[in-house]
Amino acid sequence: MSTPTFALPRQLKAFNLYFDGNSYAGRCDSITLPKIALTTEDHRAGGMDAPKKLELGMEALTASITLSDYDPAIISLIGVDGIALVARGAVQRQGAAAEAVVVNMRGMLTETEFSEWKPGGKSTKTLTYELDYFRYRQVDVEYVEIDIINMVRKIGGVDQLATQRAAIGL
């Protein structure tokens, strides 16, 4: 009888955020990466006993960031498109070396929510970005690349839109 093997989960241990190449170490409280979700529609035609979901593209990519810094350079980016964001994380399984995670994003700052002001209290602001580009790499392997403007959707190394681009001459 063999002994079962198991591994403890990788957990995010540390991260840093870069706006246009500038480090926000010590000033970024949290980052919520975008949800990657497909838009689907039910299809049920003659000869089908139940509906089948048809994939019709993707939902919008939205990221949010909470900063503990009232940096005027960030506040002035509201409505500016093409802002480059890079999140770098260290994920680690107990007893193993840390693995690098690099997330590249590009988009427009569409919303800034300032926190309550009160003396002696921490003040933050939450930034919402509508993204047109998202790439997730872990240990130098690209797992996701979505480039909305150039009609690229690579998941697990497969470009799911390559034949569509070819069909329309892109």
Side-chain angles (χ1 to χ4, degrees), residues 38-105:
L38 299 175
T39 300
T40 61
E41 185 174 300
D42 284 344
H43 171 74
R44 183 175 179 192
M48 296 176 69
D49 188 38
K52 164 74 175 140
K53 296 280 186 191
L54 297 179
E55 182 260 307
L56 299 173
M58 292 190 63
E59 293 183 10
L61 299 173
T62 303
S64 77
I65 297 165
T66 302
L67 294 179
S68 290
D69 187 3
Y70 274 69
D71 183 348
I74 299 298
I75 295 168
S76 67
L77 293 176
I78 297 170
V80 176
D81 201 5
I83 298 169
L85 304 168
V86 179
R88 296 185 62 93
V91 296
Q92 188 172 20
R93 176 180 291 145
Q94 190 166 316
E99 298 176 2
V101 174
V102 179
V103 178
N104 298 87
M105 298 174 276

Side-chain angles (χ1 to χ4, degrees), residues 86-146:
V86 179
R88 296 185 62 93
V91 296
Q92 188 172 20
R93 176 180 291 145
Q94 190 166 316
E99 298 176 2
V101 174
V102 179
V103 178
N104 298 87
M105 298 174 276
R106 182 182 63 234
M108 181 187 307
L109 175 56
T110 59
E111 185 178 319
T112 298
E113 181 180 338
F114 297 98
S115 67
E116 176 183 30
W117 288 17
K118 59 183 177 182
K122 183 177 177 177
S123 58
T124 61
K125 67 176 182 286
T126 302
L127 311 171
T128 302
Y129 284 87
E130 297 301 328
L131 304 175
D132 58 66
Y133 183 83
F134 176 81
R135 181 172 65 176
Y136 180 97
R137 290 178 292 156
Q138 188 165 336
V139 194
D140 293 326
V141 176
E142 181 179 278
Y143 290 98
V144 177
E145 182 183 30
I146 299 166

